[in-house]
Amino acid sequence: MEAAVKVAEDVHVGAPPGPLSDWVMRKVHFHGFAGLPTARGVSVKSPEFSCFGHQWLVVLYPGGGRLEGSKEGHVSVYLHNQSPESIQAYFKFVLKHPTDQTKRSFETGYAIQSFVAREGKGRHNFAKRETVLTYLNNGTLTLEVHLRSHKKAESNGYVPSNPCSGNLLKGFNNEEMSDVTFEVGGEVESAANRRKRAKTTPTTFHAGHLILKLNAPALADMCRPGNEATVPIDGVDPEVFKMMLYFCYGGKVGKEELAANAKAIIEAADRFGIVNLKLQAEAVLAKQTDITVDNMLDNLLYANSKNLALFQEKIMDFAAENGDKIVGNVSFSSVPSELISDILTAVARGKRSISKSAPEDDLKFMRVGELRKHLHNKGLCIDGSRETMIALLRENSASGETGAKETS
């Protein structure tokens, strides 16, 4: 008779995979596809995007790749993992007809793939180029990128997160935890007509001077910690001031609130030095504003007055694309001379492939988002006009080169 076997605890080598995530879909738009290079082996790369904690980009060969098995006249497409860590993921590309849903969709299907750093997976012969040209939407090729991966296995133990941000919010508008007081109200510019001013009921707010010094420096300069005198704030709606103060304490202003109060938030955030909130409101304003020939000039002058480089870029792109409609219908006599350079840049950039990012050293053609990303990565201020951002990056680059020469 055999002895009973006692089963001991399992031994695991490495971490077991967690459950599969839901599919995540990102649309990648290649504008002006018909004008992209058609020579075999010449690629066009998308900007990087994030998914599952990794950076990805799509590499498209409009005229076909050079790898073995690539056929003449076919479009090749690959998904690259740009992060230094490997990841296992399911993925597929999908191309749908923009208007006729009865037409065939082109779709790649793969088992789970292991993406090592800087490696791409895809299809050598995704679709015939002549067919792809009939699937464009106003000249744009739109590819859906579908991704799913294993979630990280949950730890058996519970580890609480850093409570700092939550604790800061407990001090929001808390009189006992504050050392400065503001009275906000009085006359506020009307959103419907900026020449009219509406009266609001004054509202009292409490804040910590150190929090303001770190997040709203211009507002902090208006008061002194421990001073019992209330600081009056005119020209700001109390609800907007409340959102602004909440943001300074680490809170998030919702998209609906940003959309409904975009210009008022931009005005207040610009006035008190809350750069990130200003840029969040600017992004919402740019997205929700339809630029037309009739409103282009007013929006351009407003964007310039507040250093809204992203919003201004959208207007410049409109001007570059609709020059025939603008000439003779819009007077530029009131436009500052420095903006003419921006218009010319938008026109020149439009002649290049806008599916390509500008070269790293070609700052004058970089999109505003790229300029801000470079500034942020260098720890520099991301607020300001396009010219200011370019000058700051060039100055930083020059000082870095000088420092390197001195130490060599």
Side-chain angles (χ1 to χ4, degrees):
M1 185 175 180
E2 293 185 3
V5 177
K6 182 178 180 181
V7 179
E9 186 177 351
D10 294 349
V11 177
H12 294 274
V13 180
L20 271 174
S21 70
D22 293 330
W23 283 100
V24 176
M25 190 269 283
R26 295 288 293 268
K27 290 185 178 181
V28 180
H29 305 284
F30 290 89
H31 302 289
F33 175 81
L36 298 180
T38 57
R40 293 192 68 177
V42 178
S43 67
V44 177
K45 298 178 181 179
S46 75
E48 292 186 10
F49 57 91
S50 298
C51 191
F52 300 121
H54 284 245
Q55 291 296 112
W56 307 85
L57 62 79
V58 174
V59 180
L60 183 77
Y61 291 84
R66 288 190 175 275
L67 295 177
E68 184 179 353
S70 298
K71 297 179 181 178
E72 185 77 31
H74 282 69
V75 174
S76 303
V77 61
Y78 304 93
L79 179 66
H80 281 243
N81 169 31
Q82 294 298 98
S83 297
E85 302 84 13
S86 299
I87 182 175
Q88 287 194 324
Y90 293 89
F91 84 102
K92 60 183 176 182
F93 289 110
V94 178
L95 172 61
K96 299 176 181 177
H97 195 277
T99 57
D100 189 350
Q101 302 304 315
T102 63
K103 285 199 172 184
R104 170 196 172 191
S105 293
F106 291 87
E107 183 174 327
T108 61
Y110 291 99
I112 193 164
Q113 297 285 323
S114 180
F115 288 85
V116 300
R118 308 289 176 178
E119 183 185 73
K121 304 283 187 181
R123 181 64 63 86
H124 302 334
N125 305 301
F126 178 65
K128 289 184 178 180
R129 176 179 171 80
E130 61 184 27
T131 303
V132 172
L133 288 170
T134 66
Y135 278 63
L136 306 183
N137 185 11
N138 292 326
T140 296
L141 170 65
T142 298
L143 289 175
E144 294 181 1
V145 183
H146 296 251
L147 275 164
R148 72 186 308 195
S149 184
H150 287 282
K151 299 177 182 178
K152 291 183 179 180
E154 294 185 3
S155 170
N156 291 330
Y158 169 72
V159 180
S161 60
N162 189 328
C164 181
S165 58
N167 289 339
L168 278 177
L169 280 173
K170 292 178 182 178
F172 166 65
N173 206 20
N174 187 311
E175 185 174 2
E176 293 182 358
M177 299 182 184
S178 304
D179 53 9
V180 292
T181 305
F182 301 96
E183 186 177 84
V184 183
E187 290 188 341
V188 181
E189 288 182 343
S190 170
N193 187 337
R194 295 178 65 83
R195 294 181 179 179
K196 294 182 179 179
R197 305 184 71 87
K199 289 188 177 181
T200 61
T201 303
T203 305
T204 300
F205 292 94
H206 306 279
H209 189 267
L210 178 60
I211 300 293
L212 299 181
K213 187 174 182 180
L214 294 171
N215 300 297
L219 184 60
D221 289 343
M222 298 174 63
C223 52
R224 294 290 179 268
N227 189 338
E228 295 183 0
T230 298
V231 179
I233 303 291
D234 292 324
V236 181
D237 185 277
E239 283 301 311
V240 171
F241 190 88
K242 182 179 180 180
M243 291 181 225
M244 187 186 71
L245 198 60
Y246 185 68
F247 185 87
C248 290
Y249 273 79
K252 293 183 179 180
V253 179
K255 290 184 179 180
E256 291 184 359
E257 293 173 316
L258 286 169
N261 303 277
K263 286 192 174 182
I265 291 174
I266 288 170
E267 185 83 28
D270 187 54
R271 174 180 171 185
F272 299 121
I274 311 173
V275 174
N276 285 20
L277 180 59
K278 172 188 172 181
L279 300 190
Q280 285 185 20
E282 179 201 14
V284 171
L285 178 66
K287 185 176 181 180
Q288 72 181 11
T289 303
D290 291 326
I291 305 301
T292 66
V293 173
D294 293 333
N295 68 22
M296 186 196 81
L297 191 58
D298 287 341
N299 280 311
L300 179 60
L301 294 175
Y302 169 73
N304 183 62
S305 70
K306 298 299 175 185
N307 283 327
L308 304 178
L310 182 68
F311 189 33
Q312 187 169 305
E313 181 178 71
K314 177 177 179 177
I315 301 165
M316 294 301 185
D317 287 344
F318 174 85
E321 295 169 5
N322 297 274
D324 56 333
K325 300 176 183 177
I326 294 171
V327 174
N329 293 313
V330 178
S331 171
F332 287 88
S333 59
S334 59
V335 174
S337 58
E338 64 268 17
L339 293 184
I340 303 302
S341 175
D342 281 359
I343 295 176
L344 294 175
T345 298
V347 172
R349 188 170 54 228
K351 293 181 179 179
R352 300 156 62 100
S353 170
I354 60 176
S355 293
K356 295 181 181 179
S357 295
E360 290 294 314
D361 59 345
D362 202 353
L363 297 177
K364 64 180 179 292
F365 287 114
M366 275 191 183
R367 309 291 295 185
V368 168
E370 292 177 286
L371 290 171
R372 286 177 175 172
K373 184 177 180 180
H374 280 284
L375 288 166
H376 177 75
N377 291 340
K378 293 176 181 290
L380 303 173
C381 179
I382 60 176
D383 189 22
S385 66
R386 181 185 184 82
E387 291 73 18
T388 300
M389 290 190 285
I390 291 174
L392 191 55
L393 282 170
R394 285 176 173 164
E395 180 184 340
N396 178 262
S397 178
S399 62
E401 291 175 0
T402 302
K405 290 179 181 179
E406 291 176 353
T407 55
S408 60

